[in-house]
């Protein structure tokens, strides 16, 4: 089958690879219908992917149709259109029982090398094997489109989880540092949680414009503090979501948060260390949290909100293409010509 | 000075009454700029007001200008445009310290007879005396208009408090039974708390239309269950806010709530008793709460949300008038020709 | 096999009944090691059990050893010592996913007639069939005895769930009305939640003594209000747990709760209705909740607390016996000669 | 009057200083009855106190009797025995209204130089001036002794606030790194919040023994991880409270917390920076919070718990003395011969 594979640092390729087969009773095989390119894919293809071997199939954001199931799969059925989490987990251990699937000992991430632990062949392919299918997959309810469903699995869940961890409440002033797909969706999530104002800081004018069009007050990084001051009576932001992907985003976030406020980082930090301004964090009683975003406990509420029309995450998709376009589309995203690209496979590939 | 007074069951009158004077060091005198007629005013003038004496000044929803302060008043100053709570409290006891001012032993309600305990002359007057002024009043921040500020003091705080007590969270299905001013604002409050859908049930077409225009799914009471079923996969409503003002509203609410859900009643119930369907409430694990709505701990967040443009409660005002129009306007509201009337006094009476 | 069965109103019998067999792939068969008699068993054998047929096997509190499993059972294994919930649920639907297994459409209760919906043969027997075994059963961790494990499944989970629903927090004044097994364990649960004082009200001196020995301030119903006043500066109880089993318990609870406080009823109410004092509940902003107690989402925390020695629920067991003693022991409990009787089966029957 | 003053780095002295006088209408003068030496006092007298001038009166933990009040003081009265916060705040601004008095623009700390911003003469003196007395002071309720009351004002509030910020819930595994007074009281606080196990790590045997005697599992730092593993099924601690006072405590805390867990630091960090292990914190989704401990919103619940006998914080006092003993007692604490010394003044000085 055709798949997008890691070639060498900075390059992906379209390749012919063997079709996946069921390996355990809880596995399913999914025929992919949509696969998206995530900032994390850029991370792992531009040199930061320990364990990523040339030829490894990329991609952890996808939706599709179940075409084969193991004997122990009871909840999803052949022919189901399904959404997926970007990783698998057992569903039964202490971590999974308490909604913390990310920390399950059996966690495996799709298509990312060893950055996030054991890795599975990814979803930018015609077929993908999904372990623990009853936990990892859910059938799409009527009215939920494949692209919104795909975004639930990673980018939207991450922005949403940031608001939950930071306890955004009605009336909060929230600032998002970095207006990529996760930042844009964190802004949307904060608005649904009742934020009085969401400030989005990013140097790119087109990302500022997108944030503005979706309810935020957008600003350049240089003027961010002045904007935050103006909407918070000079106090600073109750909550700052750091979605930049580099440690300097944390410095910016600490500059914008009010005393007693919370910084939640959703960036995939790979720097081993960062200098925390200790005396200042103590005196200002800052809370600094890191969140990866586990869609599994969030699916029901996100599905309900999208179904009711309160949330539509698909505005973050700036470009579309087909599987064979992937090599070019990775470059477009790496060079910020696109923010998020959706690959279309199968019958409705357009 | 001129004031609206209780005349006899079913009648109010415009009357000349003595001007109020400072009686304690913590008092302030407020020159009223806006005074609104509340459903509770209808309650107390149509025969349900134990302790209401002819000649008592009506009204508990008002805003205005501070024209005199006692020696112990430090936070509000002469000339301040102020908002008020609909009752006063000491601000210092255990109840007040924990945000439960309504249960303060020194609570006094403006203009309502003995329904809510000790009563003060009300705010449908040119001047009103406000005890515990430093607790009861706040200066209006720039940009907060007098009508929005007035609504914070009672109707909006009540709808908001219902959502807080019932813990409306993003994704909730919320139903509001009764689309008067508090019901309309409970609908708005639920949307700001992230409800996936708010269903509003009321027999009056114009109230349904108003709810629809402000984001709700409106319905007749007869079709309410079918509508709730259609938006909740047949489960029922996560939260029902009962805002009818009669016990039958509670029966309707129990019919609409899902197992394990919450009914919060914001109606001013004066019936001594009501038959609770005990076995059903037990089997379905229902929570039934009553909430009056104390604006004092909610002012900051409501002011922030109104200031940021997230919330605008003034759409519930269907008519305006001047103080001398009050007798006619009470009849208009009693006969449901108006939903909420705002009386304008002073320079900008229009 | 031998089992305790319903004979006629007011009488149970030891009977020989057919052994249960696997009926679905998710079933397990458990060889019972401990089975307890619950107040609900008295309810259903003394005439309040619609759907209870003579010969029906009683009992919903038990622990034992897995002796047979269906093909779809993966989490519990042959030979496992297991605890159980008092009902089964599918584990996969919206209700189960959100921790509300009690409202699952596939809920079936063990041994109780139709009071709680569809009924399964009960656990006061040598063998019992457990549907949805992977959801309903858990292997006992090292150090958790069978009697503590049995109590997690119903009485302790119920008292614990009451504290959760009522949001008992450190410093709360909590009152428990009715000092049967659930009331005693609600008292213990409230203490673990940090209650400053737990008042337990019951007319029976021996139940008062037991509550006192386990950290509560015990009182007769007649003096309960005075005791509550003395520990709450006259305010009333922040939370009242109603564990009487009759509607008059609710009246007592409303008399003890402070304004703005919460009454949580854990009694199995079968009265169709009860007169709620509406005006008073409104003026005092009371919250009244009903909770049945679902052990499934509580197992991990209760197991951890028992394992660490913080909680020991077994003090509520006042008598023990063997399966053949059940008819006499039911009478002992009905006549309040015992509070809770534990039947011992199998090798360690004593 | 006599007072303990800062002399030079590493030395305090007993000195004769002018008596304080009322400076504002909201001030009160308190005749000190108990004053304690806090670890922070050691910090500011051993060289880490920017702005500490020789002759400055030390001490921020005290209780006493009100001997003079300004005209605007209404809640505390002459002759009241009072407790105090370790800092003052206005009580009226946005920060104070929302329970965040620590961040009030008018915050002034007693006796600590410029470490915590503007500084007031301290409470290790015969008399102390207390600004915003109605906010800062409370009369002691019957039965609350002066030493317990003193501890509410700082050390106990800090340990308690750590449990609140970290959301310790029943069943949590909590570890405290550093068993000084705040660490000991954090251990106690975690137990009252229902922790299943509290592990306390400290190198000093006598502090380990004290923690053990008050309900914790004590351990050396070298064996801490093994102990935590043994009580958490190898997962790590749900919550770690860092109470060491040096940055290495944060490294220890990160080593003990489980994935998805929370580290709350209550140490007065004066190091400008510290190297946060970024990739690890991200992958493990750690939350790291700093909390100073504001007793003002905690007084009611702590007073209730102490009054009811659930909490007794006075076990952390290892030595007592009189005002003139202070210079020697500072050395005793600096050299860890005492953990916490209470100075007794006035009639009951013993």
């Amino acid at each position: 089958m055709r798949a997008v594979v890691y070639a060498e640092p900075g390059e992906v390729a379209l390749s012919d690879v063997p079709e996946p087969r069921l390996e355990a009773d809880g596995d399913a095989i999914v025929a992919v219908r949509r696969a998206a390119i995530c900032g994390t894919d850029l991370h792992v293809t531009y040199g930061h992917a320990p364990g990523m071997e040339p030829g490894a199939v990329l991609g952890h954001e996808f939706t599709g149709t179940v075409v084969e199931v193991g004997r122990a799969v009871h909840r999803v059925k052949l022919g189901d259109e399904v959404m997926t989490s970007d990783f698998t987990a057992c569903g039964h251990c202490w971590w999974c029982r308490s909604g913390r699937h990310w920390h399950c000992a059996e966690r495996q991430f799709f298509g990312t090398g060893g950055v996030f632990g054991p890795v599975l062949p990814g979803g930018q392919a015609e077929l993908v094997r999904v372990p623990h299918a009853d936990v990892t997959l859910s059938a799409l309810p009527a009215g939920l489109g494949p692209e919104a469903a795909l975004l639930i699995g990673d980018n939207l869940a991450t922005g949403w989880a940031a608001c939950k961890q930071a306890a955004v409440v009605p009336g909060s002033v929230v600032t998002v540092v970095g207006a990529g797909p996760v930042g844009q969706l964190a802004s949307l999530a904060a608005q649904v949680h009742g934020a009085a104002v969401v400030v989005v800081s990013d140097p790119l004018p087109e990302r500022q414009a997108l944030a503005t069009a979706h309810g935020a007050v957008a600003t350049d990084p240089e003027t961010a503090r002045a904007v935050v001051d103006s909407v918070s009576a000079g106090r600073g932001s109750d909550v700052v979501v750091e979605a930049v992907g580099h440690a300097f985003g944390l410095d910016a976030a600490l500059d914008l948060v009010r005393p007693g406020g919370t910084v939640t980082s959703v960036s995939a930090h790979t720097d081993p260390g960062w200098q925390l301004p200790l005396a200042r964090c103590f005196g200002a009683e800052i809370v600094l949290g890191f969140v990866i975003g586990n869609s599994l406990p969030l699916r029901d509420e996100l599905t309900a909100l999208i179904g009711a029309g309160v949330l539509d995450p698909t505005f973050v998709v700036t470009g579309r293409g087909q599987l064979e376009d992937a090599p070019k589309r990775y470059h477009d995203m790496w060079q910020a010509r696109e923010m998020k690209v959706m690959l279309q496979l199968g019958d409705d590939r357009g």
Side-chain angles (χ1 to χ4, degrees), chain A:
Chain A
M1 67 169 183
R2 294 178 310 147
V4 181
V5 301
Y6 174 69
E8 58 182 293
E11 289 299 336
V12 309
L14 193 72
S15 177
D16 230 325
V17 302
E19 293 199 354
R21 298 187 311 179
L22 297 178
E23 299 181 13
D25 287 354
D27 288 357
I29 305 293
V30 171
V32 176
R33 185 173 171 193
R34 290 287 185 287
I37 306 174
C38 176
T40 302
D41 295 324
L42 304 181
H43 250 297
V44 301
T45 54
Y46 287 82
H48 306 286
M52 182 65 85
E53 296 291 324
V57 180
L58 293 164
H60 55 275
E61 301 181 343
F62 59 96
T63 57
T65 308
V66 175
V67 294
E68 197 177 355
V69 296
R71 290 185 311 159
V73 176
H74 305 295
R75 295 181 60 209
V76 292
K77 296 179 299 293
L78 285 186
D80 278 356
E81 291 292 309
V82 289
M83 65 179 114
T84 183
S85 174
D86 47 6
F87 64 92
T88 68
C90 80
H92 295 309
C93 67
W94 183 90
W95 303 99
C96 290
R97 286 198 301 272
S98 60
R100 302 173 176 101
H101 306 76
W102 175 254
H103 304 293
C104 172
E106 299 187 24
R107 178 188 80 207
Q108 295 176 279
F109 210 94
F110 291 98
T112 53
V115 173
F116 297 112
V119 68
L120 290 166
Q124 294 169 5
E126 290 178 317
L127 295 170
V128 60
R129 179 177 69 90
V130 179
H132 302 302
D134 273 348
V135 176
T136 312
L137 303 175
S138 291
L140 301 195
L144 181 64
E147 299 195 354
L150 179 148
L151 290 161
I152 290 177
D154 181 359
N155 290 180
L156 177 58
T158 302
W160 195 256
C163 292
K164 288 217 164 190
Q165 192 195 69
V168 174
V169 291
S172 298
V173 173
V174 177
T175 300
V176 178
V177 178
V182 174
Q184 298 280 353
L185 293 173
S187 164
L188 200 63
Q191 293 171 55
V192 176
H193 281 76
V197 186
V198 180
V199 176
V200 173
S201 168
D202 196 282
L204 296 181
E206 66 272 21
R207 296 194 178 186
Q208 290 178 23
L210 196 64
T212 302
H214 290 87
V217 176
T219 173
D220 265 318
E222 299 80 52
T223 50
R225 179 70 212 195
V227 171
V228 169
D229 280 349
S230 75
V231 299
S232 67
R235 290 190 295 262
S237 194
D238 298 317
V239 168
V240 181
V241 178
E242 187 274 309
V244 169
H246 294 288
F248 67 76
L250 291 168
D251 293 310
L254 287 175
D255 185 47
L256 298 172
V257 71
R258 70 156 165 76
T262 298
V263 171
T264 297
S265 172
V266 297
S267 293
H269 291 290
T270 50
D271 305 301
W274 165 70
Q275 190 74 359
L276 180 81
L278 196 53
R280 183 175 168 262
C281 285
F282 167 67
E285 294 191 307
I286 300 302
V287 174
L288 170 61
F290 295 87
V291 66
I292 281 177
N294 168 14
S295 65
L296 294 171
L298 305 177
R299 254 181 208 165
D300 282 322
E301 64 203 82
L302 291 174
T303 298
L305 285 160
I306 292 172
V310 172
L311 259 184
D312 180 0
T314 57
F315 74 93
V316 300
V317 179
T318 55
R320 289 181 175 77
Q322 300 182 10
L323 199 60
E324 52 270 35
D325 303 326
K328 174 177 183 312
R329 295 314 236 157
Y330 267 72
H331 281 284
D332 289 343
M333 281 182 63
W334 182 246
Q335 289 157 17
R337 281 194 301 262
E338 295 282 6
M339 190 171 82
K340 179 140 203 113
V341 172
M342 183 74 66
L343 304 173
Q344 298 167 303
L345 293 87
D347 294 344
D348 66 346
R349 58 191 296 180

